[in-house]
Amino acid sequence: QVQLVESGGGLVQPGGSLRLSCTASGSFFSINAMGWYRQAPGKQRELVALISRAGVTNYVDSVKGRFTVSSNNAKNTVYLQMNSLDPEDTAVYYCNAEILTLDNTWRPYWGQGTQVTVSS
């Protein structure tokens, strides 16, 4: 059984920083890409940042220059360093990974979500 477990959310003041982590555990062959999505109240879930196994990254325009996605393939872990946080960044952040399961099928998996609140 594959699980994604997130950590690192919380309450931070505007201009502050947070670091999110997400680790994939269980039995599987490989991970293709990992990333972060977020969903604010009343809004649709949106892609924040993605990183491929080769290290190619992609960001939504609103976080470019402020957020950095990175990964440790040996630990099946993806990170999201969030700097210069703004109240507009307040949302539940979800980890996502494309995983090759033991039946040789690529499947998307989601973490349980972690709340990030930016407020003074």
Side-chain angles (χ1 to χ4, degrees):
Q1 186 175 0
V2 178
Q3 282 189 315
L4 299 183
V5 178
E6 302 151 349
S7 62
L11 173 64
V12 64
Q13 292 187 341
S17 297
L18 280 176
R19 188 191 195 210
L20 306 182
S21 299
C22 171
T23 298
S25 63
S27 299
F28 53 88
F29 288 130
S30 182
I31 298 176
N32 183 28
M34 300 186 80
W36 296 91
Y37 289 71
R38 67 185 179 187
Q39 187 166 18
K43 295 187 177 180
Q44 290 188 334
R45 189 174 297 189
E46 66 169 352
L47 171 66
V48 177
L50 279 177
I51 184 166
S52 71
R53 188 168 184 84
V56 178
T57 59
N58 186 31
Y59 298 91
V60 68
D61 286 346
S62 61
V63 308
K64 287 179 180 177
R66 301 188 299 123
F67 291 10
T68 302
V69 62
S70 60
S71 62
N72 183 326
N73 292 337
K75 294 184 177 181
N76 296 320
T77 298
V78 63
Y79 308 95
L80 185 68
Q81 178 66 44
M82 303 184 293
N83 299 329
S84 301
L85 282 161
D86 183 272
E88 291 292 314
D89 297 316
T90 296
V92 178
Y93 284 70
Y94 296 91
C95 175
N96 172 269
E98 186 179 10
I99 294 177
L100 183 61
T101 53
L102 297 185
D103 61 352
N104 277 305
T105 302
W106 287 101
R107 291 189 171 89
Y109 285 86
W110 292 90
Q112 78 282 3
T114 186
Q115 178 69 46
V116 171
T117 302
V118 185
S119 175
S120 56

